[in-house]
Amino acid sequence: MAIKMKPVDVVLTGVGWTGGILAKELAEAGLKVVGLERGRARDTNPDFQAPWVHDELRYHSRFELMQDLAKETLTFRNSANQVALPMRYLGSFYPGEGLGGAGVHWNGQTFRFLPWDFETRSRTLARYGPGAIPPDSTAQDWGITYDELEPYYDRFERTVGLSGKAGNLRGNLQPGGNPFEGPRSREYPNPPMKTSHAGALFKQAATSLGYHPFPAPSANMSRGYVNPDGANLAPCMYCGYCEVFACEFGAKASPQVTVLPIAQKTGNFELRTLSNVVKINLDTAGKRATGVTYVDARGREIEQPADLVIVTSYILNNARLLLLSGIGRPYDPATGEGVVGRNYAYQVTSAVNVFFEDKIFNTFMGAGALGVIVDDFNGDNFDHKGLAFIGGGYIAAWTVGARPIHFHPVPPGTPRWGSQWKAAVAHYYNRAFLIQTHGGVLPYRGNHLDLDPTYRDVFGLPLLRMTFDWHENELRRSSYLSDRAEQIARAMSPSKIGADRRAPHYSVVPYQTTHNTGGAVMGADPKTSAVNKYLQSWDVSNLFVVGASAFPHNAGYNPTDTVGALAYWAADAIKNRYVKRPGPLV
């Protein structure tokens, strides 16, 4: 029998970026908040300190900060006519585990989505007609516009101390920034990071081709910064240990550095770690959440009653928890009906390695978001007529740090092992860098999430099953972006070029991005969305589901800025509307 705790105003199921923001905002508003985190507690000091924080074997090879697949994983298949099998080794994406979630091991790349991204369907139909959208795509508008979300983008960016250069200030284009971005109300809180030698070469080549390169927006600090809540962030040291690592300096914005200390100072926030939520509890009518049930570190089943339940875990866990709790109609790809598990999407990437004989790049230095970007081929920034695809992505030269175990570029034709391979690695380690493309993915009827009928986790609960593959729209788009990336590479006059283009079928094995989206998408129609524009469940009005699970499709950008903006958007709706008058907000 479950141990029943004292009721609280709010319970959060996960304490990363979304949980941390909501904890701070709601605790400051006077609500009693309990945050349940399945992983352990950790903080910059002592958990992220040198020398062990730079242990590449521990963090990049053995996934110290990631989800333990021995306890919980997912099953994967490309299509419904295949048998899904468990993912037993982290590959394509790295879900985080522990306090701060993926906000600890992220790289800090922090882009706003384009206005087109929020109105993909309607804008595409208006510009190109109905034939432009693939017939099997379930693309839809978000139910919210860029202009509505802009103040919340600004709020998150000031929380994390974003470094960058505005390209569009209140409709006025600014030199040096991204001319394709949506209008922003203010300049970035901090100036851009330094430009690396590789970034400078990329910028020069892209400019010579008529493109518009700009410095990557970065949650790695270009200078010391105090955010509006009084949190201190230190300047980046360009050590090259960002993605999959924690930051020992507090120079990469994380929940530990920004929102969590503020939440804890209120006296209204209680954090419980090693607390794995297994179910959202409902009343007898199934219309109201009464709290959650979780399993603690001692294996005890505990019930936490709450007036308001907010699901704030990683997107895959958000969808799975709704399915396990029987909230919302599960999506059925055969009929196209149902909402939970619908519109799962990912991103499609490719890369070009450029090799030089006469240039040294000091690639061991870098930062997770140190880069130069070309956005000319993202979203609908270019005319798609005659291209047989919609959407796009960015092209970037990143200087993230060349760690010795995982960075060993060699030109095409180099043997894969032996003395010649070793000689090539030694020669080109400091004479090569990568140009990457990063494209969005439309949702499709067959790409979805559901519960696996065979495999279960350590608690005996069904694993999440992922069904996903590339479609022609994404393959054509990726090929187009790859061609543009190779064009920029050739403009640098390298000695050799090596292209890594996208395979015809998605694989869960090689790493690509930790940018999964969908499964509990937002929208204006309860027949095609699990939550409304405020991230509130259509079926259970005192339940909110916050995170990238709400994205109806995936854009060409990294999702964290939009995740943070939506968290502040939902918090504002809860504080200023729901609490004053509980019930449906739409």
Side-chain angles (χ1 to χ4, degrees):
M1 185 174 179
I3 301 169
K4 194 166 185 176
M5 305 294 284
K6 181 181 177 181
V8 294
D9 296 319
V10 182
V11 63
L12 305 168
T13 68
V15 188
W17 271 125
T18 54
I21 289 169
L22 283 150
K24 181 190 84 72
E25 290 292 301
L26 300 183
E28 285 184 328
L31 298 175
K32 296 295 183 181
V33 182
V34 166
L36 301 174
E37 168 56 50
R38 68 179 178 176
R40 65 180 180 87
R42 55 193 184 186
D43 207 345
T44 304
N45 190 5
D47 302 283
F48 306 153
Q49 294 305 295
W52 60 83
V53 76
H54 288 179
D55 186 337
E56 189 180 0
L57 186 63
R58 177 178 179 176
Y59 290 99
H60 202 169
S61 300
R62 296 175 179 165
F63 308 114
E64 173 78 10
L65 301 176
M66 314 307 173
Q67 180 174 305
D68 184 352
L69 300 190
K71 296 179 180 178
E72 181 185 329
T73 184
L74 55 81
T75 65
F76 169 75
R77 59 186 182 177
N78 285 124
S79 64
N81 60 8
Q82 296 177 340
V83 175
L85 296 175
M87 182 175 72
R88 295 301 188 192
Y89 187 83
L90 286 168
S92 183
F93 43 86
Y94 299 157
E97 182 168 292
L99 184 61
V104 169
H105 71 74
W106 73 314
N107 50 28
Q109 298 167 16
T110 314
F111 298 88
R112 293 185 179 191
F113 282 9
L114 296 165
W116 179 85
D117 289 316
F118 297 97
E119 301 170 281
T120 299
R121 185 174 185 84
S122 59
R123 291 192 181 212
T124 298
L125 292 175
R127 184 173 182 182
Y128 304 109
I133 298 176
D136 57 341
S137 175
T138 53
Q140 65 191 61
D141 292 351
W142 289 43
I144 186 176
T145 66
Y146 172 88
D147 289 341
E148 287 180 285
L149 201 58
E150 197 281 332
Y152 301 91
Y153 270 129
D154 181 78
R155 199 164 172 193
F156 180 66
E157 290 164 6
R158 287 178 194 280
T159 295
V160 303
L162 203 60
S163 305
K165 179 70 185 76
N168 184 337
L169 277 177
R170 298 177 293 278
N172 298 311
L173 297 185
Q174 306 293 308
N178 179 10
F180 301 101
E181 70 176 351
R184 57 175 64 240
S185 54
R186 292 190 281 181
E187 182 58 87
Y188 282 84
N190 285 311
M193 300 188 76
K194 298 178 185 295
T195 300
S196 68
H197 185 17
L201 284 179
F202 177 86
K203 179 179 179 180
Q204 182 181 28
T207 302
S208 73
L209 295 169
Y211 303 146
H212 304 82
F214 61 95
S218 169
N220 317 135
M221 299 302 102
S222 60
R223 63 183 179 186
Y225 176 72
V226 180
N227 79 4
D229 294 313
N232 284 277
L233 291 94
C236 178
M237 301 297 168
Y238 298 90
C239 72
Y241 287 80
C242 272
E243 188 173 25
V244 311
F245 299 88
C247 180
E248 72 266 41
F249 302 115
K252 177 178 69 174
S254 73
Q256 276 87 343
V257 179
T258 56
V259 290
L260 287 176
I262 310 302
Q264 290 167 332
K265 286 179 182 178
T266 65
N268 291 327
F269 174 58
E270 179 187 352
L271 172 67
R272 297 179 198 158
T273 55
L274 301 176
S275 300
N276 199 314
V277 178
V278 295
K279 186 179 181 181
I280 301 166
N281 303 319
L282 301 175
D283 64 10
T284 54
K287 296 296 183 183
R288 180 174 178 77
T290 59
V292 301
T293 297
Y294 68 94
V295 178
D296 72 2
R298 295 167 59 184
R300 300 178 302 176
E301 192 173 274
I302 299 181
E303 182 181 342
Q304 177 58 66
D307 294 330
L308 185 62
V309 175
I310 309 180
V311 181
T312 51
S313 55
Y314 193 67
I315 83 108
L316 302 173
N317 298 318
N318 281 4
R320 180 172 181 249
L321 187 57
L322 293 180
L323 292 167
L324 290 173
S325 305
I327 298 172
R329 185 177 179 183
Y331 175 68
D332 182 353
T335 64
E337 298 178 349
V339 293
V340 181
R342 185 177 187 270
N343 281 36
Y344 171 73
Y346 191 49
Q347 288 177 320
V348 58
T349 61
S350 64
V352 178
N353 263 309
V354 287
F355 301 87
F356 297 85
E357 304 300 330
D358 58 345
K359 293 179 175 63
I360 299 296
F361 297 107
N362 290 333
T363 49
F364 53 87
M365 299 177 68
L370 178 61
V372 178
I373 315 295
V374 163
D375 220 27
D376 296 62
F377 306 104
N378 208 345
D380 202 34
N381 295 342
F382 59 108
D383 191 347
H384 288 70
K385 291 176 183 176
L387 295 179
F389 68 85
I390 60 171
Y394 67 71
I395 304 171
W398 295 109
T399 305
V400 299
R403 296 174 293 272
I405 295 177
H406 291 87
F407 184 79
H408 34 72
V410 291
T414 304
R416 298 181 64 182
W417 62 281
S419 59
Q420 292 183 53
W421 178 83
K422 291 179 182 179
V425 168
H427 181 72
Y428 287 110
Y429 171 82
N430 228 3
R431 294 180 172 89
F433 66 90
L434 200 65
I435 299 173
Q436 293 181 309
T437 79
H438 195 277
V441 169
L442 292 177
Y444 293 92
R445 183 163 173 164
N447 289 344
H448 68 287
L449 306 171
D450 64 358
L451 295 178
D452 192 280
T454 304
Y455 294 97
R456 295 179 177 268
D457 68 7
V458 70
F459 301 110
L461 300 171
L463 295 181
L464 189 72
R465 179 170 61 180
M466 176 188 293
T467 304
F468 180 78
D469 205 355
W470 310 126
H471 285 239
E472 282 302 313
N473 187 84
E474 281 62 46
L475 292 172
R476 293 190 187 107
R477 176 198 295 166
S478 182
S479 179
Y480 184 87
L481 289 172
S482 297
D483 289 344
R484 307 286 86 70
E486 287 194 44
Q487 179 193 36
I488 297 172
R490 287 192 294 271
M492 298 180 196
S493 300
S495 61
K496 300 177 181 67
I497 293 175
D500 179 14
R501 290 178 174 254
R502 182 51 49 215
H505 293 284
Y506 169 73
S507 171
V508 80
V509 176
Y511 183 75
Q512 294 169 68
T513 72
T514 306
H515 302 160
N516 317 78
T517 64
V521 305
M522 63 193 295
D525 185 351
K527 292 182 180 179
T528 58
S529 56
V531 297
N532 63 28
K533 66 185 293 183
Y534 300 106
L535 292 305
Q536 180 187 39
S537 168
W538 289 108
D539 300 292
V540 181
S541 64
N542 68 328
L543 173 69
F544 288 74
V545 186
V546 186
S549 55
F551 295 9
H553 77 286
N554 211 345
Y557 291 123
N558 306 56
T560 308
D561 206 359
T562 304
V563 169
L566 285 175
Y568 276 113
W569 165 263
D572 185 65
I574 292 168
K575 290 188 304 179
N576 298 313
R577 297 186 59 188
Y578 180 86
V579 170
K580 294 177 180 178
R581 189 175 180 180
L585 297 179
V586 175

